Amino acid sequence: MKRKIKNEEGITVIALVVTIIVMLLLAGISIGFLSGDNGLIRRTLESVKLSKIEKYRSLIELDRGGTEIKAGIKDMTNKEYMDVYEKEIRNDAEKGNLKESLVRRKDEGTVRVVTPEGFVFDVTREGVEYVGKQGEDNENPPPEVSTANTRVIFDPSEWTNRFVMVSIETDIHEEGQTIQYSINNVNNWRDYKDAFKIEDYGTTIFVRILNSLDMTSGTASGRVLNIDKNAPKVDKVL
């Protein structure tokens, strides 16, 4: 009887070990199926992302359709066409289906749209191109702008009673990035192309740089302190 009990105990231990091994194998397969590079969770998230991209693409295309039905569209230049489109898309971003999206004119023939979730699209007369999603490209971080690497230059630099021309110099601008400036606030950004005129004492110029997905980090600034338009005081001769 004692020998029989030992055999039964041995079989039980072996069965337990085999069961544990099988469970571990199944757990490993399940984890790989759910969370691997091509796992169910990843594929589900990718599917949701693609669905959102196509949803926004369709909405943006609708605004292109609105532009297409404008009178005289065939006679418009690319710039005139995109001027009309920009108004359509900005109106939609303010109070339509694309509400809270950011819109900017990249160049004469391109309008960029960035959705609240960070999906970036470039729109031309020919169509809508999906550029990418902000934050996904770790190899293309936004440049860190500061007064140490980006400068606002005033010409003339000495006192004047007229105006100054403002230019921007930076050590960190690279191809594919966009230098922008805003006057007296950080809300109304414009692309910097050439020196621009400032006529008022105390005007502050803010500068930032966008990467290829319109992400930015930090700002530099400069203040105009060399304009004096007040007439000189003349002492009365008694």
Side-chain angles (χ1 to χ4, degrees):
M1 288 294 293
K2 289 182 179 179
R3 188 173 182 179
K4 186 177 180 181
I5 291 172
K6 285 182 180 180
N7 289 339
E8 289 177 353
E9 288 177 349
I11 293 171
T12 302
V13 171
I14 292 171
L16 179 61
V17 171
V18 171
T19 300
I20 292 173
I21 292 172
V22 171
M23 290 178 67
L24 289 172
L25 289 173
L26 290 174
I29 293 171
S30 298
I31 291 170
F33 176 73
L34 291 173
S35 60
D37 289 340
N38 197 34
L40 179 62
I41 294 174
R42 188 184 183 94
R43 282 186 283 131
T44 300
L45 292 174
E46 189 66 22
S47 177
V48 170
K49 174 186 170 183
L50 291 175
S51 177
K52 287 184 177 181
I53 291 171
E54 289 310 309
K55 169 194 165 187
Y56 281 117
R57 190 194 302 276
S58 297
L59 292 174
I60 294 169
E61 283 284 4
L62 281 176
D63 288 319
R64 285 185 71 249
T67 302
E68 290 288 350
I69 64 175
K70 299 294 181 183
I73 192 74
K74 291 182 180 178
D75 300 324
M76 286 184 175
T77 64
N78 280 346
K79 179 183 181 305
E80 290 170 338
Y81 178 95
M82 295 311 296
D83 286 345
V84 175
Y85 177 79
E86 187 178 0
K87 291 179 182 177
E88 294 275 341
I89 199 73
R90 284 189 183 280
N91 183 64
D92 202 0
E94 288 177 9
K95 52 189 176 184
N97 293 320
L98 291 168
K99 195 170 183 181
E100 297 183 359
S101 295
L102 300 177
V103 178
R104 75 175 177 94
R105 190 68 167 264
K106 274 190 69 180
D107 52 49
E108 188 175 278
T110 310
V111 170
R112 170 158 286 189
V113 181
V114 183
T115 72
E117 296 95 332
F119 296 109
V120 183
F121 297 86
D122 280 346
V123 189
T124 63
R125 192 167 187 169
E126 287 71 36
V128 180
E129 178 187 2
Y130 173 67
V131 180
K133 188 175 187 301
Q134 291 181 337
E136 286 190 344
D137 185 1
N138 294 325
E139 296 181 358
N140 181 31
E144 185 69 41
V145 178
S146 69
T147 53
N149 55 42
T150 303
R151 298 161 293 282
V152 181
I153 310 298
F154 304 117
D155 182 25
S157 57
E158 65 273 7
W159 282 99
T160 178
N161 60 1
R162 300 178 63 201
F163 58 84
V164 297
M165 296 300 295
V166 180
S167 57
I168 297 168
E169 293 182 355
T170 178
D171 304 326
I172 59 173
H173 180 233
E174 297 180 2
E175 186 178 353
Q177 299 175 346
T178 304
I179 301 174
Q180 292 192 319
Y181 69 94
S182 186
I183 298 174
N184 285 332
N185 59 57
V186 290
N187 300 316
N188 300 310
W189 294 99
R190 312 172 195 178
D191 290 356
Y192 173 73
K193 295 180 175 65
D194 297 300
F196 53 93
K197 182 190 293 186
I198 295 294
E199 301 186 79
D200 297 318
Y201 175 90
T203 301
T204 301
I205 312 299
F206 295 93
V207 181
R208 70 179 184 179
I209 299 178
L210 305 179
N211 70 358
S212 61
L213 291 177
D214 275 29
M215 298 172 67
T216 184
S217 179
T219 60
S221 64
R223 192 177 182 205
V224 179
L225 297 173
N226 61 329
I227 297 177
D228 184 1
K229 295 184 178 181
N230 295 321
K233 293 181 179 180
V234 178
D235 294 334
K236 292 182 179 180
V237 178
L238 298 177

